[in-house]
Amino acid sequence: MNGKSKHLILTIGAAIAAASMAILSTSCNALYEDLPECDPSTATLRFVYDYNMERANAFHKQVDCLTLYIFDEEGNYVATRTERSAEQLGDEDYRMVIELPEGNYHAVAYGGIECDKGSFRHPASTDVTRGLSDLRVELHPDCLTDDTRRALHNHYHGSVDFAISANENTGATVEMMRNTNSVQVALQHVHGSPIDVNDFDFSISDDNTLFDADNKLIPAGEIAYLPYEQLNFTTGTAEGRADDQAITEVSAAVARFHTSRLYKQKPTSPTLLVTRHSDGSTVLRLPIINYMLMFKENHDATSPMSDQEYLDRENSWRFVFFLNDSDNSWISTKIVVNDWHVVINNSEF
């Protein structure tokens, strides 16, 4: 080999070596302590609860514990992440950072299930490690039988698909929905005479205690919610009577309930029942969803929503029923729902 060939080979070899060193000096490699470490493969999840009538994020104000189940794209269980600090979740800047191998994932989030006062749980038969299709959540049976647990701890559900890319951080938002409702029922005499809550028994029947991973209800049998609180309430001056004599005080018998998710499209419709305590005779029985939906458009005429969206966004319901002073029978032509006055022409509505 002549001198020129040797010189050319040496020059090419030196160039390749220099290029290799340049690549190594700017790339990450865990084998060499003097080289920069690779960025972790992570996803940063933000949690939002703005699926309410105000359309405002209330996650940091309402969710006090959080559980996240992670599955791969075939639905196989991968991991669980929890945050039990209400202080951490109360920070508007809270994010959950998850480090996983590269791939596509599906996560299901529950707010409230891991709290000490949680009202929902996984059924005994549920084994989340068997995969996404096995994930179930139910209302704890004690919440239906124990007077101290009838006031339900708020429960939330959300899910998201996200991807993990090699040596990158990706972001995703988990949209949460509240599954618990507050229902307040007030009875008043139409002419304002005193009324006693102890003269009545109240219940709401439904089949809405068991959920699948997509937050859809699974039939589990009809149950009865009883009030977590009953009280006699007196307030100030009300509208005048028909004989123009002023009513200086309004007396109301009030029952307060918490229920699980109210769902329209299912065989069992939630039904409010009020009976006389003395003999069990019916004062009123009505499918409350029918009345809840009467004013859907009034709430948001500029952005129409489906019936179910309205039921899911509005979590606080107030009903006022007017009874005859003489026999406590319901005057079925008048009702107030969330401050909307209803005049009913068909008492079988």
Side-chain angles (χ1 to χ4, degrees):
M1 183 179 294
N2 59 39
K4 290 184 179 181
S5 297
K6 290 182 180 179
H7 178 73
L8 180 60
I9 291 171
L10 290 173
T11 301
I12 293 174
I16 293 174
S20 299
M21 291 300 295
I23 293 172
L24 287 173
S25 65
T26 57
S27 64
C28 58
N29 192 323
L31 296 177
Y32 300 94
E33 294 182 358
D34 58 339
L35 295 178
E37 293 184 1
C38 299
D39 291 332
S41 304
T42 59
T44 298
L45 302 185
R46 178 184 181 225
F47 297 84
V48 173
Y49 169 54
D50 58 8
Y51 200 68
N52 48 51
M53 294 304 293
E54 294 76 22
R55 301 178 186 272
N57 182 22
F59 177 88
H60 61 286
K61 295 180 180 179
Q62 296 190 18
V63 179
D64 51 356
C65 64
L66 182 66
T67 307
L68 188 78
Y69 298 105
I70 305 168
F71 305 87
D72 65 20
E73 56 188 334
E74 281 79 39
N76 300 307
Y77 173 77
V78 175
T80 301
R81 300 289 185 268
T82 59
E83 178 55 71
R84 295 183 176 87
S85 170
E87 182 179 358
Q88 290 287 335
L89 296 172
D91 185 345
E92 293 188 51
D93 294 326
Y94 171 77
R95 303 291 188 271
M96 182 180 283
V97 179
I98 301 168
E99 185 171 346
L100 291 169
E102 184 177 359
N104 297 315
Y105 296 92
H106 178 77
V108 179
Y110 294 105
I113 199 169
E114 291 289 342
C115 298
D116 292 338
K117 297 180 180 180
S119 298
F120 288 75
R121 68 178 188 181
H122 297 298
S125 60
T126 294
D127 180 0
V128 69
T129 62
R130 287 200 293 260
L132 180 63
S133 61
D134 194 62
L135 186 59
R136 299 285 187 274
V137 167
E138 68 176 1
L139 178 66
H140 198 296
D142 288 353
C143 296
L144 300 172
T145 58
D146 185 342
D147 290 341
T148 65
R149 300 196 64 180
R150 296 191 191 279
L152 303 182
H153 192 81
N154 283 341
H155 178 70
Y156 302 82
H157 171 275
S159 62
V160 69
D161 293 316
F162 64 95
I164 297 286
S165 300
N167 310 131
E168 293 183 9
N169 178 271
T170 57
T173 298
V174 184
E175 301 281 351
M176 306 292 286
M177 185 175 77
R178 180 171 154 179
N179 277 346
T180 43
N181 290 268
S182 172
V183 180
Q184 179 172 282
V185 177
L187 307 179
Q188 289 182 214
H189 282 145
V190 70
H191 288 151
S193 62
I195 192 169
D196 188 352
V197 72
N198 296 306
D199 291 338
F200 306 91
D201 294 318
F202 304 81
S203 67
I204 296 175
S205 60
D206 204 351
D207 181 1
N208 62 344
T209 60
L210 182 63
F211 297 84
D212 68 11
D214 294 325
N215 206 39
K216 295 179 181 178
L217 285 166
I218 301 171
E222 188 171 345
I223 53 86
Y225 295 95
L226 300 182
Y228 68 86
E229 183 178 32
Q230 295 182 208
L231 68 155
N232 290 314
F233 184 78
T234 302
T235 187
T237 303
E239 297 176 1
R241 288 167 26 177
D243 57 9
D244 293 329
Q245 296 181 20
I247 303 172
T248 57
E249 286 188 339
V250 173
S251 174
V254 177
R256 292 172 176 158
F257 299 83
H258 282 165
T259 77
S260 181
R261 186 184 182 192
L262 298 170
Y263 202 81
K264 182 182 178 182
Q265 298 297 334
K266 59 183 175 54
T268 302
S269 178
T271 301
L272 170 66
L273 175 65
V274 180
T275 60
R276 293 187 185 88
H277 184 72
S278 59
D279 58 10
S281 58
T282 299
V283 175
L284 62 92
R285 180 196 300 269
L286 73 160
I288 55 177
I289 280 183
N290 293 16
Y291 293 89
M292 292 171 171
L293 293 174
M294 290 182 72
F295 298 102
K296 180 186 68 174
E297 293 300 328
N298 297 64
H299 279 78
D300 198 358
T302 59
S303 181
M305 60 183 72
S306 69
D307 288 349
Q308 190 56 51
E309 180 180 349
Y310 178 64
L311 291 171
D312 289 331
R313 283 184 179 272
E314 180 61 84
N315 299 116
S316 181
W317 305 94
R318 300 177 304 280
F319 295 86
V320 181
F321 299 94
F322 297 89
L323 310 183
N324 280 316
D325 296 59
S326 58
D327 62 359
N328 281 335
S329 61
W330 176 35
I331 301 176
S332 57
T333 58
K334 186 177 182 182
I335 181 177
V336 178
V337 182
N338 279 15
D339 300 326
W340 295 95
H341 289 256
V342 185
V343 177
I344 306 169
N345 295 320
N346 179 2
S347 61
E348 297 300 322
F349 182 84

